[in-house]
Amino acid sequence: ETIKSGPPGPITEADLKMAGDVDRALGQFYERVIADVGKRTGVTEIDLRRFFQDKLITEQGTRGLVFRGVEATGGLPNKAVEALDEDWLIRRTERAGGAWYELVHDSFINPILESNHAWRVSQPLLQVAQAWRNAGNDPSLLLRQEQLANVLRTSDWQALGSVVQEFVRVSQETQRKREQAQLEAEAKQARELRKLNGRLIAALAMALVFFLIAAVSLFLALQARDEAFRQRGQAIEQR
């Protein structure tokens, strides 16, 4: 808070000493700046964080230099880079026939890395999407119906970068295919049920016909027997 409440300008050694927990103060300052720059420029938070971690910090954990391009610098639009410069998180230097950007101080390196790690851990959707990408876009890792509905109810996922956006898009397409396949399966089942019902009705009708034929035959046979008994009785009486 000491850094935030002070006058605008470069962060000095005196500022760092007054901050108390230096790494925490610098981490908070970093997070406030990228949140503010994101709102002002429309650049996603993940793109801003990646710019620092991938471009301004080397694999050896030292400050890196990024050459300013015509429209973008290190993959980040220049409007966002200029805003970061204005907020004293990075600085511009002129050398080797062009403009370059770097972190304002080495002390930001660890706080930025720690902040980025904590932020990624707090984004489960980002973790799942990255696992899906690392597994070769394994369809078994895609969001299912309820999970997808929960994600789509919020807009935060759109700010998590291209991997998450593609992950959600493919999940939507796959879910639509699942639902379509389910509808087709249900329609097929309904058609088969109607056919089965038709065959059952036909069988019942045929059985009814056989029953009626058998009943008529039995009735006629009984009548013939009764007539034979009657004629036989008459013949006995005439003797």
Side-chain angles (χ1 to χ4, degrees), residues 1 15 17 20 24 34 68 70 85 121 125 129 152 156 178 188 224:
E1 294 297 326
D15 291 326
K17 291 179 181 179
R24 181 180 178 186
I34 62 173
R68 177 185 172 92
V70 176
D85 187 10
V121 171
L125 182 59
L152 294 176
D156 295 345
R178 289 194 197 104
K188 181 180 179 181

Side-chain angles (χ1 to χ4, degrees), residues 101-158:
Y101 288 97
E102 63 180 347
L103 287 173
V104 294
H105 199 278
D106 288 337
S107 299
F108 272 104
I109 293 174
N110 285 335
I112 286 174
L113 294 177
E114 291 174 1
S115 174
N116 285 356
H117 174 72
W119 182 79
R120 285 191 175 89
V121 171
S122 70
Q123 304 292 331
L125 182 59
L126 179 61
Q127 301 296 318
V128 173
Q130 193 60 57
W132 169 75
R133 172 59 59 81
N134 294 340
N137 299 354
D138 184 353
S140 68
L141 298 178
L142 292 171
L143 298 172
R144 307 293 292 189
Q145 184 175 15
E146 185 174 350
Q147 297 170 319
L148 183 59
N150 289 337
V151 169
L152 294 176
R153 274 195 287 268
T154 68
S155 59
D156 295 345
W157 63 271
Q158 298 181 10

Side-chain angles (χ1 to χ4, degrees), residues 1 23-33 111 115:
E1 294 297 326
D23 282 357
R24 181 180 178 186
L26 293 179
Q28 291 174 342
F29 178 77
Y30 165 70
E31 290 171 356
R32 285 196 297 270
V33 169
S115 174

Side-chain angles (χ1 to χ4, degrees), residues 30-87:
Y30 165 70
E31 290 171 356
R32 285 196 297 270
V33 169
I34 62 173
D36 177 62
V37 170
K39 291 178 181 178
R40 285 157 52 194
T41 64
V43 176
T44 63
E45 184 172 355
I46 190 171
D47 287 336
L48 290 168
R49 288 181 179 273
R50 282 176 175 168
F51 174 70
F52 281 90
Q53 184 151 350
D54 298 343
K55 303 299 180 180
L56 295 177
I57 300 176
T58 68
E59 294 182 358
Q60 291 73 34
T62 60
R63 274 191 290 177
L65 282 171
V66 184
F67 182 76
R68 177 185 172 92
V70 176
E71 297 182 355
T73 299
L76 204 66
N78 282 341
K79 63 180 180 180
V81 175
E82 291 165 0
L84 293 171
D85 187 10
E86 292 170 1
D87 285 350

Side-chain angles (χ1 to χ4, degrees), residues 129 132-133 137 142-143 148 157-158 160-174:
W132 169 75
R133 172 59 59 81
N137 299 354
L142 292 171
L143 298 172
L148 183 59
W157 63 271
Q158 298 181 10
L160 295 179
S162 59
V163 174
V164 170
Q165 292 169 3
E166 182 183 4
F167 176 66
V168 173
R169 179 183 61 77
V170 175
S171 294
Q172 287 179 290
E173 292 176 355
T174 303

